[in-house]
Amino acid sequence: MIKIRLRNFLEIATSIILLYIIISLGWETFRFFNSEMIIGLVFIISIIHIFILLKTDLKRNYKLMVFLSFFILVIFIIFSLWKIFLCNDEKITDDIKIYLLVSLILHILIRVTYFIRIIYSKINNPAFIFIISFVSLSFLGSFLLMFPASTVKKISFIDALFTSTSAVCVTGLSVLDTAKDFTYLGKVIILILVELGGLGILTITSFFSYFFKDGFSFKEAIFVSNFLNTKTTSNVLTLAVKVVMFTITIELIGTLLIYCSIKDQNTIETDSPLFFSIFHSISAFCNSGFSTLSKGLYSHSVRFNYFLQIIVAFLLILGGIGFNILFNFFTYIWLTIKKYFYKIFKDEYLHHPAHIVTLNTKIVVTTTVFLLFFGTVFYYISEYHSSLSEHSSFYGKWIASFFSSATSRTAGFHVVNMNNLAPITIFLTIFLMWIGASPASTGGGIKTSTFALALMNIISLSRGKNRLEIERKEIPSESIRLSFSIIMLSLIVIYISILIIIFLDPKKDILSISFEVFSAFSTVGLSLGITSSLSNGSKLILICLMLLGRIGIFNVMVGLFKKNKISSHYYYRFPKGNILIN
């Protein structure tokens, strides 16, 4: 009975803490936001955890969750006490307040993770969970961005929802100036939404579940494997942890490199070079395109910083090529290094498994390299005397062209004047945006593998073959049908969206509208400058497009129309009916 009361009290206390944090962060004048109150809350919650852990009849899953939460709270308490007794600084109180506030937020996140796992067991549709996670996060983000402490001046709900959705869907389209319209807190909220949207709620919850799991249910494995785009459910929890750890590692390296590239620049338009580095590293790897500069990377202070452009471009490519591809590629590199190490230092020949590099990796990497090369050359030729003219050096033009080619398929950063682009360059950019990034990545679009598979199937049919074979492997007909379905669905949705926006905003240029729609659907974030001037109806259309592009239109259809039970059509086949084509 005491256990039940303590558990209920802990849940109530967690809800009160969440409300307290929201009010404290949202309204800077909140009188109870002080160190004494936060320290008291942390100690009370920690004591409740101790009493719960003393009970022997707890479920192992719940007990491990409570222990992890208690461990995090204790770590922050010890660190705060160390700061009090060993340091003499006027800012110690504010530092402790921040440390303990972070511990409370982590405590809530762990509780939310446990709650989401309960939801997993109640719903049998992975696609539906996937959709709800992004939609809910978008609305939660819009609520947080409307706090008085998040913005310089009051913003409308539609603008807050647009910004939040753009961040969650890692798009980068914006109706507001991130640098001028949002406070430091608002930028932090946007950054958190970008990180959560790039990795996905299911991946984040799986990461925390790894530390207090009591076995990972088959249903949960299916949910996470659907998001990570892996066919197997074995070791999917470990894969989710690898994704999170790899992302954090790359973002830390990106932060360090970006900081080194700007540390000598006194003209940079930001209060903190470190925050600038962290923000753009996460934004780049997650392919979001958000920037703390008013004009993004086209701002004069960083426009000609080619080292920064190379760093951001490679972060974009790493984030957009897909985690499965990266892990497969790094496995190949590691085994190759290991093989030569044994051969040189131990005089042994190390046998490693054949076909380490999968067919999927070969197709994605080949398509990505081709598109990057083709886009770079095209930008250089078409924009040499136009938008690239302000880059005086030879290597500057090539780097700007390479950056434009990389960002056109994944993120909304730009280092050239978008309003000066030639019409043919705009059409090429639309094509690159439509293809987008690779599967299981942070980018959008129809994906490189989809485009490559459809193109190779057309070539195969034109040669008179009735099946698609690549490197002595037959591609399943289901994959080919899926690729053409995604292509057709994307074109239908894009066409209808353009039609509606033309009706809602008839004075806008049709090319600019088309560019905007392709950018939103492919979660790229590039714009010809009409986003903020669109009507509310057009903004809602773009919001829906960003969600469809990030979630995947086919996933939406599966979530809405797929039956949970096994349909009877798997057990019989109708006679074939021939339809005349061409």
Side-chain angles (χ1 to χ4, degrees), residues 197-216:
L199 289 174
I201 296 297
L202 299 183
T203 308
I204 298 294
T205 54
S206 300
F207 174 76
F208 280 101
S209 296
Y210 182 82
F211 298 99
F212 56 81
K213 69 180 188 301
D214 185 19
F216 202 50

mmCIF file of all heavy atoms in Angstrom, residues 197-216:
data_model
loop_
_atom_site.group_PDB
_atom_site.id
_atom_site.type_symbol
_atom_site.label_atom_id
_atom_site.label_comp_id
_atom_site.label_asym_id
_atom_site.label_seq_id
_atom_site.Cartn_x
_atom_site.Cartn_y
_atom_site.Cartn_z
ATOM 1 N N GLY A 197 13.926 15.809 -33.446
ATOM 2 C CA GLY A 197 13.343 15.500 -34.744
ATOM 3 C C GLY A 197 14.296 14.744 -35.641
ATOM 4 O O GLY A 197 13.879 13.857 -36.388
ATOM 5 N N GLY A 198 15.584 15.081 -35.564
ATOM 6 C CA GLY A 198 16.566 14.399 -36.393
ATOM 7 C C GLY A 198 16.755 12.952 -35.994
ATOM 8 O O GLY A 198 16.813 12.058 -36.843
ATOM 9 N N LEU A 199 16.821 12.689 -34.693
ATOM 10 C CA LEU A 199 17.003 11.326 -34.212
ATOM 11 C C LEU A 199 15.684 10.572 -34.131
ATOM 12 O O LEU A 199 15.636 9.362 -34.365
ATOM 13 C CB LEU A 199 17.672 11.339 -32.836
ATOM 14 C CG LEU A 199 19.143 11.738 -32.807
ATOM 15 C CD1 LEU A 199 19.623 11.857 -31.375
ATOM 16 C CD2 LEU A 199 19.987 10.733 -33.566
ATOM 17 N N GLY A 200 14.618 11.287 -33.783
ATOM 18 C CA GLY A 200 13.315 10.652 -33.623
ATOM 19 C C GLY A 200 13.051 10.276 -32.181
ATOM 20 O O GLY A 200 13.947 9.832 -31.463
ATOM 21 N N ILE A 201 11.809 10.458 -31.749
ATOM 22 C CA ILE A 201 11.429 10.150 -30.369
ATOM 23 C C ILE A 201 11.660 8.674 -30.066
ATOM 24 O O ILE A 201 12.122 8.305 -28.975
ATOM 25 C CB ILE A 201 9.956 10.512 -30.123
ATOM 26 C CG1 ILE A 201 9.748 12.019 -30.264
ATOM 27 C CG2 ILE A 201 9.513 10.064 -28.744
ATOM 28 C CD1 ILE A 201 10.509 12.832 -29.251
ATOM 29 N N LEU A 202 11.356 7.802 -31.037
ATOM 30 C CA LEU A 202 11.503 6.371 -30.797
ATOM 31 C C LEU A 202 12.959 5.992 -30.538
ATOM 32 O O LEU A 202 13.252 5.140 -29.700
ATOM 33 C CB LEU A 202 10.961 5.581 -31.997
ATOM 34 C CG LEU A 202 9.478 5.782 -32.328
ATOM 35 C CD1 LEU A 202 9.066 4.890 -33.482
ATOM 36 C CD2 LEU A 202 8.605 5.514 -31.113
ATOM 37 N N THR A 203 13.874 6.641 -31.246
ATOM 38 C CA THR A 203 15.296 6.362 -31.033
ATOM 39 C C THR A 203 15.745 6.868 -29.672
ATOM 40 O O THR A 203 16.512 6.189 -28.967
ATOM 41 C CB THR A 203 16.142 7.025 -32.140
ATOM 42 O OG1 THR A 203 15.627 6.656 -33.414
ATOM 43 C CG2 THR A 203 17.593 6.594 -32.042
ATOM 44 N N ILE A 204 15.290 8.065 -29.286
ATOM 45 C CA ILE A 204 15.665 8.639 -27.993
ATOM 46 C C ILE A 204 15.148 7.770 -26.847
ATOM 47 O O ILE A 204 15.886 7.449 -25.897
ATOM 48 C CB ILE A 204 15.122 10.075 -27.852
ATOM 49 C CG1 ILE A 204 15.723 10.993 -28.922
ATOM 50 C CG2 ILE A 204 15.402 10.619 -26.464
ATOM 51 C CD1 ILE A 204 17.199 11.221 -28.785
ATOM 52 N N THR A 205 13.882 7.368 -26.925
ATOM 53 C CA THR A 205 13.312 6.538 -25.859
ATOM 54 C C THR A 205 13.990 5.174 -25.809
ATOM 55 O O THR A 205 14.185 4.613 -24.731
ATOM 56 C CB THR A 205 11.800 6.357 -26.059
ATOM 57 O OG1 THR A 205 11.547 5.838 -27.376
ATOM 58 C CG2 THR A 205 11.064 7.671 -25.909
ATOM 59 N N SER A 206 14.352 4.643 -26.955
ATOM 60 C CA SER A 206 15.059 3.360 -26.984
ATOM 61 C C SER A 206 16.438 3.490 -26.343
ATOM 62 O O SER A 206 16.915 2.565 -25.676
ATOM 63 C CB SER A 206 15.210 2.865 -28.424
ATOM 64 O OG SER A 206 13.953 2.689 -29.023
ATOM 65 N N PHE A 207 17.075 4.644 -26.535
ATOM 66 C CA PHE A 207 18.384 4.894 -25.933
ATOM 67 C C PHE A 207 18.288 4.841 -24.414
ATOM 68 O O PHE A 207 19.103 4.188 -23.752
ATOM 69 C CB PHE A 207 18.905 6.252 -26.388
ATOM 70 C CG PHE A 207 20.177 6.679 -25.707
ATOM 71 C CD1 PHE A 207 21.388 6.116 -26.057
ATOM 72 C CD2 PHE A 207 20.158 7.643 -24.710
ATOM 73 C CE1 PHE A 207 22.570 6.500 -25.435
ATOM 74 C CE2 PHE A 207 21.326 8.038 -24.077
ATOM 75 C CZ PHE A 207 22.528 7.461 -24.440
ATOM 76 N N PHE A 208 17.284 5.501 -23.846
ATOM 77 C CA PHE A 208 17.112 5.474 -22.393
ATOM 78 C C PHE A 208 16.622 4.101 -21.931
ATOM 79 O O PHE A 208 16.981 3.647 -20.847
ATOM 80 C CB PHE A 208 16.135 6.561 -21.947
ATOM 81 C CG PHE A 208 16.755 7.927 -21.859
ATOM 82 C CD1 PHE A 208 16.568 8.851 -22.871
ATOM 83 C CD2 PHE A 208 17.537 8.292 -20.791
ATOM 84 C CE1 PHE A 208 17.145 10.120 -22.808
ATOM 85 C CE2 PHE A 208 18.127 9.546 -20.706
ATOM 86 C CZ PHE A 208 17.930 10.457 -21.725
ATOM 87 N N SER A 209 15.802 3.442 -22.757
ATOM 88 C CA SER A 209 15.306 2.115 -22.392
ATOM 89 C C SER A 209 16.440 1.114 -22.258
ATOM 90 O O SER A 209 16.338 0.134 -21.524
ATOM 91 C CB SER A 209 14.310 1.617 -23.450
ATOM 92 O OG SER A 209 13.175 2.443 -23.500
ATOM 93 N N TYR A 210 17.521 1.357 -22.969
ATOM 94 C CA TYR A 210 18.670 0.451 -22.927
ATOM 95 C C TYR A 210 19.233 0.329 -21.510
ATOM 96 O O TYR A 210 19.757 -0.714 -21.137
ATOM 97 C CB TYR A 210 19.761 0.972 -23.868
ATOM 98 C CG TYR A 210 20.976 0.086 -23.951
ATOM 99 C CD1 TYR A 210 20.976 -1.028 -24.783
ATOM 100 C CD2 TYR A 210 22.119 0.364 -23.202
ATOM 101 C CE1 TYR A 210 22.089 -1.842 -24.872
ATOM 102 C CE2 TYR A 210 23.240 -0.446 -23.289
ATOM 103 C CZ TYR A 210 23.220 -1.547 -24.120
ATOM 104 O OH TYR A 210 24.313 -2.352 -24.194
ATOM 105 N N PHE A 211 19.073 1.393 -20.704
ATOM 106 C CA PHE A 211 19.670 1.418 -19.371
ATOM 107 C C PHE A 211 18.737 0.865 -18.294
ATOM 108 O O PHE A 211 19.162 0.619 -17.177
ATOM 109 C CB PHE A 211 20.076 2.842 -19.003
ATOM 110 C CG PHE A 211 21.108 3.412 -19.931
ATOM 111 C CD1 PHE A 211 20.740 4.254 -20.961
ATOM 112 C CD2 PHE A 211 22.443 3.085 -19.788
ATOM 113 C CE1 PHE A 211 21.687 4.784 -21.818
ATOM 114 C CE2 PHE A 211 23.395 3.596 -20.650
ATOM 115 C CZ PHE A 211 23.016 4.447 -21.668
ATOM 116 N N PHE A 212 17.447 0.704 -18.611
ATOM 117 C CA PHE A 212 16.574 0.106 -17.600
ATOM 118 C C PHE A 212 15.614 -0.890 -18.236
ATOM 119 O O PHE A 212 14.476 -1.034 -17.822
ATOM 120 C CB PHE A 212 15.796 1.182 -16.825
ATOM 121 C CG PHE A 212 14.970 2.114 -17.661
ATOM 122 C CD1 PHE A 212 13.712 1.764 -18.125
ATOM 123 C CD2 PHE A 212 15.461 3.371 -17.982
ATOM 124 C CE1 PHE A 212 12.963 2.643 -18.872
ATOM 125 C CE2 PHE A 212 14.704 4.250 -18.745
ATOM 126 C CZ PHE A 212 13.455 3.887 -19.189
ATOM 127 N N LYS A 213 16.088 -1.593 -19.246
ATOM 128 C CA LYS A 213 15.229 -2.552 -19.944
ATOM 129 C C LYS A 213 15.150 -3.854 -19.157
ATOM 130 O O LYS A 213 16.111 -4.297 -18.544
ATOM 131 C CB LYS A 213 15.743 -2.824 -21.344
ATOM 132 C CG LYS A 213 17.066 -3.592 -21.406
ATOM 133 C CD LYS A 213 17.485 -3.796 -22.850
ATOM 134 C CE LYS A 213 18.683 -4.731 -22.951
ATOM 135 N NZ LYS A 213 19.830 -4.261 -22.228
ATOM 136 N N ASP A 214 13.986 -4.460 -19.201
ATOM 137 C CA ASP A 214 13.799 -5.797 -18.670
ATOM 138 C C ASP A 214 13.451 -6.691 -19.861
ATOM 139 O O ASP A 214 12.371 -7.236 -19.973
ATOM 140 C CB ASP A 214 12.672 -5.816 -17.635
ATOM 141 C CG ASP A 214 12.541 -7.171 -16.975
ATOM 142 O OD1 ASP A 214 13.507 -7.947 -17.048
ATOM 143 O OD2 ASP A 214 11.465 -7.454 -16.422
ATOM 144 N N GLY A 215 14.401 -6.756 -20.794
ATOM 145 C CA GLY A 215 14.100 -7.393 -22.065
ATOM 146 C C GLY A 215 13.397 -6.389 -22.958
ATOM 147 O O GLY A 215 12.632 -5.539 -22.498
ATOM 148 N N PHE A 216 13.670 -6.471 -24.232
ATOM 149 C CA PHE A 216 13.069 -5.543 -25.194
ATOM 150 C C PHE A 216 12.014 -6.312 -25.964
ATOM 151 O O PHE A 216 12.335 -7.276 -26.675
ATOM 152 C CB PHE A 216 14.152 -5.006 -26.136
ATOM 153 C CG PHE A 216 13.798 -3.711 -26.787
ATOM 154 C CD1 PHE A 216 13.336 -2.651 -26.040
ATOM 155 C CD2 PHE A 216 13.939 -3.544 -28.152
ATOM 156 C CE1 PHE A 216 13.036 -1.442 -26.640
ATOM 157 C CE2 PHE A 216 13.640 -2.349 -28.760
ATOM 158 C CZ PHE A 216 13.190 -1.295 -27.994
#
